[in-house]
mmCIF file of all heavy atoms in Angstrom:
data_model
loop_
_atom_site.group_PDB
_atom_site.id
_atom_site.type_symbol
_atom_site.label_atom_id
_atom_site.label_comp_id
_atom_site.label_asym_id
_atom_site.label_seq_id
_atom_site.Cartn_x
_atom_site.Cartn_y
_atom_site.Cartn_z
ATOM 1 N N VAL A 1 0.840 -1.190 0.000
ATOM 2 C CA VAL A 1 0.000 0.000 0.000
ATOM 3 C C VAL A 1 0.872 1.236 0.000
ATOM 4 O O VAL A 1 1.822 1.337 0.772
ATOM 5 C CB VAL A 1 -0.911 0.025 1.254
ATOM 6 C CG1 VAL A 1 -1.701 1.316 1.297
ATOM 7 C CG2 VAL A 1 -1.859 -1.162 1.238
ATOM 8 N N GLY A 2 0.555 2.148 -0.894
ATOM 9 C CA GLY A 2 1.303 3.394 -0.924
ATOM 10 C C GLY A 2 0.631 4.435 -0.053
ATOM 11 O O GLY A 2 0.005 4.122 0.949
ATOM 12 N N THR A 3 0.725 5.672 -0.463
ATOM 13 C CA THR A 3 0.146 6.749 0.336
ATOM 14 C C THR A 3 -1.330 6.919 0.043
ATOM 15 O O THR A 3 -2.034 7.604 0.769
ATOM 16 C CB THR A 3 0.858 8.078 0.026
ATOM 17 O OG1 THR A 3 0.653 8.387 -1.362
ATOM 18 C CG2 THR A 3 2.345 7.981 0.309
ATOM 19 N N GLY A 4 -1.816 6.315 -1.025
ATOM 20 C CA GLY A 4 -3.210 6.528 -1.420
ATOM 21 C C GLY A 4 -3.363 7.755 -2.281
ATOM 22 O O GLY A 4 -4.470 8.178 -2.585
ATOM 23 N N ASP A 5 -2.240 8.344 -2.717
ATOM 24 C CA ASP A 5 -2.283 9.516 -3.571
ATOM 25 C C ASP A 5 -2.868 9.130 -4.927
ATOM 26 O O ASP A 5 -2.747 8.005 -5.378
ATOM 27 C CB ASP A 5 -0.873 10.079 -3.758
ATOM 28 C CG ASP A 5 -0.880 11.377 -4.539
ATOM 29 O OD1 ASP A 5 -1.188 12.418 -3.945
ATOM 30 O OD2 ASP A 5 -0.583 11.329 -5.749
ATOM 31 N N ARG A 6 -3.491 10.097 -5.610
ATOM 32 C CA ARG A 6 -4.142 9.808 -6.883
ATOM 33 C C ARG A 6 -3.157 9.318 -7.946
ATOM 34 O O ARG A 6 -3.538 8.638 -8.892
ATOM 35 C CB ARG A 6 -4.853 11.066 -7.401
ATOM 36 C CG ARG A 6 -6.080 11.465 -6.592
ATOM 37 C CD ARG A 6 -6.719 12.708 -7.158
ATOM 38 N NE ARG A 6 -7.935 13.078 -6.451
ATOM 39 C CZ ARG A 6 -7.971 13.809 -5.359
ATOM 40 N NH1 ARG A 6 -6.843 14.220 -4.807
ATOM 41 N NH2 ARG A 6 -9.131 14.121 -4.786
ATOM 42 N N SER A 7 -1.891 9.680 -7.853
ATOM 43 C CA SER A 7 -0.917 9.312 -8.876
ATOM 44 C C SER A 7 -0.455 7.869 -8.737
ATOM 45 O O SER A 7 0.108 7.308 -9.673
ATOM 46 C CB SER A 7 0.299 10.246 -8.806
ATOM 47 O OG SER A 7 0.946 10.100 -7.549
ATOM 48 N N GLU A 8 -0.667 7.267 -7.562
ATOM 49 C CA GLU A 8 -0.258 5.888 -7.347
ATOM 50 C C GLU A 8 -1.420 4.955 -7.649
ATOM 51 O O GLU A 8 -2.516 5.136 -7.157
ATOM 52 C CB GLU A 8 0.176 5.684 -5.885
ATOM 53 C CG GLU A 8 1.409 6.454 -5.494
ATOM 54 C CD GLU A 8 1.804 6.155 -4.052
ATOM 55 O OE1 GLU A 8 1.015 5.511 -3.339
ATOM 56 O OE2 GLU A 8 2.895 6.558 -3.655
ATOM 57 N N LYS A 9 -1.168 3.949 -8.461
ATOM 58 C CA LYS A 9 -2.279 3.071 -8.810
ATOM 59 C C LYS A 9 -1.770 1.742 -9.338
ATOM 60 O O LYS A 9 -0.708 1.656 -9.956
ATOM 61 C CB LYS A 9 -3.160 3.730 -9.868
ATOM 62 C CG LYS A 9 -2.409 4.063 -11.167
ATOM 63 C CD LYS A 9 -3.252 4.853 -12.120
ATOM 64 C CE LYS A 9 -2.526 5.141 -13.432
ATOM 65 N NZ LYS A 9 -1.309 5.946 -13.260
ATOM 66 N N ILE A 10 -2.534 0.676 -9.058
ATOM 67 C CA ILE A 10 -2.282 -0.593 -9.720
ATOM 68 C C ILE A 10 -3.422 -0.884 -10.695
ATOM 69 O O ILE A 10 -3.257 -1.609 -11.656
ATOM 70 C CB ILE A 10 -2.139 -1.762 -8.719
ATOM 71 C CG1 ILE A 10 -3.446 -1.969 -7.923
ATOM 72 C CG2 ILE A 10 -0.952 -1.561 -7.803
ATOM 73 C CD1 ILE A 10 -3.493 -3.296 -7.192
ATOM 74 N N ARG A 11 -4.595 -0.283 -10.444
ATOM 75 C CA ARG A 11 -5.755 -0.537 -11.289
ATOM 76 C C ARG A 11 -6.666 0.687 -11.309
ATOM 77 O O ARG A 11 -6.837 1.347 -10.288
ATOM 78 C CB ARG A 11 -6.521 -1.757 -10.778
ATOM 79 C CG ARG A 11 -7.600 -2.271 -11.730
ATOM 80 C CD ARG A 11 -8.263 -3.516 -11.186
ATOM 81 N NE ARG A 11 -7.289 -4.587 -11.014
ATOM 82 C CZ ARG A 11 -7.386 -5.553 -10.104
ATOM 83 N NH1 ARG A 11 -8.423 -5.577 -9.276
ATOM 84 N NH2 ARG A 11 -6.475 -6.485 -10.019
ATOM 85 N N THR A 12 -7.234 0.951 -12.471
ATOM 86 C CA THR A 12 -8.152 2.084 -12.611
ATOM 87 C C THR A 12 -9.514 1.594 -13.079
ATOM 88 O O THR A 12 -9.610 0.799 -14.019
ATOM 89 C CB THR A 12 -7.610 3.111 -13.637
ATOM 90 O OG1 THR A 12 -6.389 3.672 -13.146
ATOM 91 C CG2 THR A 12 -8.619 4.239 -13.859
ATOM 92 N N TYR A 13 -10.561 2.067 -12.408
ATOM 93 C CA TYR A 13 -11.942 1.749 -12.746
ATOM 94 C C TYR A 13 -12.545 3.019 -13.349
ATOM 95 O O TYR A 13 -12.887 3.957 -12.621
ATOM 96 C CB TYR A 13 -12.713 1.322 -11.502
ATOM 97 C CG TYR A 13 -12.071 0.170 -10.740
ATOM 98 C CD1 TYR A 13 -10.903 0.353 -9.995
ATOM 99 C CD2 TYR A 13 -12.637 -1.105 -10.764
ATOM 100 C CE1 TYR A 13 -10.314 -0.704 -9.303
ATOM 101 C CE2 TYR A 13 -12.063 -2.165 -10.065
ATOM 102 C CZ TYR A 13 -10.891 -1.950 -9.340
ATOM 103 O OH TYR A 13 -10.313 -2.994 -8.651
ATOM 104 N N ASN A 14 -12.629 3.051 -14.679
ATOM 105 C CA ASN A 14 -13.064 4.254 -15.384
ATOM 106 C C ASN A 14 -14.519 4.092 -15.833
ATOM 107 O O ASN A 14 -14.815 3.343 -16.765
ATOM 108 C CB ASN A 14 -12.142 4.492 -16.593
ATOM 109 C CG ASN A 14 -12.436 5.800 -17.290
ATOM 110 O OD1 ASN A 14 -13.545 6.034 -17.751
ATOM 111 N ND2 ASN A 14 -11.429 6.662 -17.383
ATOM 112 N N PHE A 15 -15.421 4.795 -15.141
ATOM 113 C CA PHE A 15 -16.850 4.674 -15.441
ATOM 114 C C PHE A 15 -17.244 5.325 -16.769
ATOM 115 O O PHE A 15 -18.018 4.736 -17.531
ATOM 116 C CB PHE A 15 -17.682 5.253 -14.294
ATOM 117 C CG PHE A 15 -17.913 4.285 -13.170
ATOM 118 C CD1 PHE A 15 -16.921 4.041 -12.225
ATOM 119 C CD2 PHE A 15 -19.116 3.600 -13.047
ATOM 120 C CE1 PHE A 15 -17.124 3.136 -11.179
ATOM 121 C CE2 PHE A 15 -19.334 2.698 -12.013
ATOM 122 C CZ PHE A 15 -18.339 2.463 -11.082
ATOM 123 N N PRO A 16 -16.753 6.534 -17.095
ATOM 124 C CA PRO A 16 -17.166 7.156 -18.361
ATOM 125 C C PRO A 16 -16.846 6.293 -19.581
ATOM 126 O O PRO A 16 -17.630 6.231 -20.530
ATOM 127 C CB PRO A 16 -16.373 8.472 -18.381
ATOM 128 C CG PRO A 16 -16.141 8.782 -16.940
ATOM 129 C CD PRO A 16 -15.929 7.456 -16.287
ATOM 130 N N ASP A 17 -15.671 5.636 -19.570
ATOM 131 C CA ASP A 17 -15.283 4.781 -20.697
ATOM 132 C C ASP A 17 -15.680 3.323 -20.480
ATOM 133 O O ASP A 17 -15.409 2.474 -21.332
ATOM 134 C CB ASP A 17 -13.764 4.854 -20.924
ATOM 135 C CG ASP A 17 -13.324 6.243 -21.373
ATOM 136 O OD1 ASP A 17 -14.172 6.976 -21.908
ATOM 137 O OD2 ASP A 17 -12.141 6.589 -21.176
ATOM 138 N N ASP A 18 -16.286 3.039 -19.320
ATOM 139 C CA ASP A 18 -16.731 1.685 -18.971
ATOM 140 C C ASP A 18 -15.614 0.653 -19.145
ATOM 141 O O ASP A 18 -15.784 -0.381 -19.795
ATOM 142 C CB ASP A 18 -17.950 1.284 -19.805
ATOM 143 C CG ASP A 18 -18.678 0.076 -19.213
ATOM 144 O OD1 ASP A 18 -18.595 -0.098 -17.980
ATOM 145 O OD2 ASP A 18 -19.297 -0.694 -19.972
ATOM 146 N N ARG A 19 -14.478 0.935 -18.542
ATOM 147 C CA ARG A 19 -13.350 0.001 -18.641
ATOM 148 C C ARG A 19 -12.572 -0.049 -17.325
ATOM 149 O O ARG A 19 -12.543 0.916 -16.564
ATOM 150 C CB ARG A 19 -12.405 0.388 -19.776
ATOM 151 C CG ARG A 19 -11.836 1.800 -19.664
ATOM 152 C CD ARG A 19 -10.844 2.109 -20.764
ATOM 153 N NE ARG A 19 -10.509 3.527 -20.828
ATOM 154 C CZ ARG A 19 -9.639 4.128 -20.022
ATOM 155 N NH1 ARG A 19 -9.022 3.427 -19.079
ATOM 156 N NH2 ARG A 19 -9.384 5.423 -20.134
ATOM 157 N N VAL A 20 -11.940 -1.200 -17.107
ATOM 158 C CA VAL A 20 -11.065 -1.393 -15.951
ATOM 159 C C VAL A 20 -9.691 -1.771 -16.488
ATOM 160 O O VAL A 20 -9.567 -2.706 -17.289
ATOM 161 C CB VAL A 20 -11.596 -2.503 -15.018
ATOM 162 C CG1 VAL A 20 -10.614 -2.750 -13.873
ATOM 163 C CG2 VAL A 20 -12.977 -2.134 -14.477
ATOM 164 N N THR A 21 -8.668 -1.060 -16.047
ATOM 165 C CA THR A 21 -7.312 -1.302 -16.535
ATOM 166 C C THR A 21 -6.394 -1.670 -15.380
ATOM 167 O O THR A 21 -6.305 -0.930 -14.395
ATOM 168 C CB THR A 21 -6.746 -0.057 -17.248
ATOM 169 O OG1 THR A 21 -7.584 0.277 -18.350
ATOM 170 C CG2 THR A 21 -5.335 -0.318 -17.754
ATOM 171 N N ASP A 22 -5.735 -2.822 -15.489
ATOM 172 C CA ASP A 22 -4.699 -3.182 -14.525
ATOM 173 C C ASP A 22 -3.365 -2.756 -15.126
ATOM 174 O O ASP A 22 -2.930 -3.285 -16.151
ATOM 175 C CB ASP A 22 -4.698 -4.693 -14.242
ATOM 176 C CG ASP A 22 -3.871 -5.018 -13.008
ATOM 177 O OD1 ASP A 22 -2.623 -4.909 -13.092
ATOM 178 O OD2 ASP A 22 -4.451 -5.356 -11.955
ATOM 179 N N HIS A 23 -2.728 -1.784 -14.498
ATOM 180 C CA HIS A 23 -1.547 -1.147 -15.074
ATOM 181 C C HIS A 23 -0.296 -2.020 -14.990
ATOM 182 O O HIS A 23 0.654 -1.802 -15.734
ATOM 183 C CB HIS A 23 -1.311 0.201 -14.389
ATOM 184 C CG HIS A 23 -2.500 1.097 -14.451
ATOM 185 N ND1 HIS A 23 -2.879 1.768 -15.599
ATOM 186 C CD2 HIS A 23 -3.442 1.408 -13.512
ATOM 187 C CE1 HIS A 23 -3.983 2.467 -15.363
ATOM 188 N NE2 HIS A 23 -4.339 2.263 -14.104
ATOM 189 N N ARG A 24 -0.285 -3.023 -14.124
ATOM 190 C CA ARG A 24 0.897 -3.886 -13.995
ATOM 191 C C ARG A 24 1.056 -4.810 -15.189
ATOM 192 O O ARG A 24 2.173 -5.091 -15.621
ATOM 193 C CB ARG A 24 0.809 -4.706 -12.706
ATOM 194 C CG ARG A 24 0.850 -3.872 -11.445
ATOM 195 C CD ARG A 24 0.325 -4.649 -10.249
ATOM 196 N NE ARG A 24 -1.099 -4.984 -10.400
ATOM 197 C CZ ARG A 24 -1.785 -5.684 -9.503
ATOM 198 N NH1 ARG A 24 -1.188 -6.124 -8.414
ATOM 199 N NH2 ARG A 24 -3.073 -5.926 -9.695
#
């Protein structure tokens, strides 16, 4: 777990584009 800052991510759940991306 990082700081929870918006720039840190392993996965993004994007509702407008209806997609989930695992960045790893």
